Amino acid sequence: MDSDSGSVCSRSSSPDLVVDDSAGSFFSNKMFQTYCRENREDNVAGQGRTERCSGGGKTKTRSEPNKDEVQDLRLKVNSRERKRMHDLNQAMDGLREVMPYAHGPSVRKLSKISTLLLARNYILMLSSSLEEMKKLVGDVYGGSAAVQSRAASHPAITPAAPAAHLSLHPLTHSLHSLVGSTPSAALQHHTTSTAAAPHSPPSASFLGFHAPVQGLLKDPLHLTSSYRHFPGMPCPCSLCQPLPTTTSTLHSLSMTK
DNA sequence: TAGGCCATCTGGTCCT
DNA sequence: AGGACCAGATGGCCTA
């Protein structure tokens, strides 16, 4: 999983070395060795369990799986489950990469729960920004019902390109104020809680359900100096860049289901 | 050292 | 029947 494998956190949360689930790496696994030892020890019990599952009668109507078959089956199931979890972690990494949260070697990776909570708040913020922009567009065009209905049905397709960029404006404020700060600064930015330790990920309370969205949207523009987001010009910040390929990976993951 | 986070194994359930 | 998904259990690693 460690997309930021060079980070402070040295633990490999998802052992990439076994991504292909090669038998060799797996068989060198300590857990597997333990498993094999234990499996031999209570092999009889295991077969008894199998018998119970298959009816447990005195006469075995089905061919009794020998210990190798049971072991192979168990290995296959474990391997599939491992791969499933790796895919899940990969998707989680993809989510982390598109989160408005500082990435870097000195920043500890967001935990799974933090990633999910932050993603939720992020989506809420985007939705709120979109609603706000719809109102703004309505105001700009004099409350024309036609425009409003068009903006409502196609929020991203506004009459003119500048309007489309305009719709990004408040969001850009919020995101820049988020990204421009360190994680701990961002944390203080959203909460009144006491200062968090540097390099520590946001706590669940920060990422929880109270408040940051409204606060973000009301924040003044914190961009430094003469930075401006000109219509027609790509924003240089990472958040305004095209989504990374991992996002398409995410999409493909969800679409293939 | 306790607590948090994580990977892995495992058995159960549901779906195709 | 086989695979996907899920949740509980377990043990390892890391940090405060």
Side-chain angles (χ1 to χ4, degrees), chain A residues 172 176 223 227-230 233-241:
Chain A
T172 310
H176 277 286
L223 301 182
Y227 176 82
R228 286 186 61 191
H229 195 173
F230 290 101
M233 294 296 289
C235 176
C237 83
S238 60
L239 280 166
C240 299
Q241 298 304 308

Side-chain angles (χ1 to χ4, degrees), chain A residues 8-210:
Chain A
V8 168
C9 180
S10 60
R11 176 175 27 168
S12 171
S13 58
S14 176
D16 291 338
L17 65 154
V18 292
V19 159
D20 57 354
D21 284 317
S22 64
S25 61
F26 179 71
F27 274 70
S28 64
N29 190 328
K30 189 176 72 177
M31 256 183 177
F32 174 68
Q33 292 167 0
T34 305
Y35 167 81
C36 288
R37 188 174 60 247
E38 290 175 353
N39 203 37
R40 279 188 213 99
E41 285 171 355
D42 48 68
N43 183 41
V44 175
Q47 285 187 348
R49 190 166 55 238
T50 306
E51 286 172 19
R52 278 198 304 276
C53 291
S54 59
K58 226 189 307 182
T59 60
K60 302 180 182 67
T61 56
R62 303 176 57 167
S63 62
E64 178 185 356
N66 60 36
K67 70 174 185 180
D68 287 340
E69 285 171 345
V70 171
Q71 191 164 308
D72 283 349
L73 185 64
R74 200 61 254 177
L75 289 179
K76 267 175 63 180
V77 171
N78 290 350
S79 178
R80 276 200 306 270
E81 177 66 9
R82 230 178 296 127
K83 181 185 181 304
R84 195 182 69 85
M85 295 309 296
H86 288 172
D87 290 345
L88 188 63
N89 289 331
Q90 218 173 321
M92 193 67 73
D93 281 340
L95 187 56
R96 282 191 189 98
E97 287 178 19
V98 298
M99 283 290 104
Y101 181 79
H103 308 90
S106 62
V107 179
R108 210 163 100 184
K109 194 173 67 178
L110 281 172
S111 68
K112 291 179 178 177
I113 181 70
S114 297
T115 301
L116 292 176
L117 291 172
L118 180 60
R120 179 187 181 275
N121 281 353
Y122 189 31
I123 291 170
L124 287 177
M125 184 191 74
L126 294 178
S127 301
S128 187
S129 279
L130 188 58
E131 286 305 312
E132 205 163 293
M133 276 320 299
K134 282 180 186 174
K135 288 176 192 165
L136 266 178
V137 168
D139 290 346
V140 165
Y141 288 92
S144 160
V147 173
Q148 280 187 344
S149 65
R150 193 165 33 197
S153 58
H154 300 289
I157 306 174
T158 47
H165 280 278
L166 194 64
S167 72
L168 285 174
H169 199 51
L171 176 60
T172 310
H173 293 191
S174 306
L175 296 186
H176 277 286
S177 64
L178 256 179
V179 174
S181 57
T182 64
S184 56
L187 189 147
Q188 290 178 348
H189 194 241
H190 297 296
T191 65
T192 56
S193 64
T194 56
H199 308 312
S200 64
S203 64
S205 60
F206 154 59
L207 296 164
F209 308 111
H210 55 277

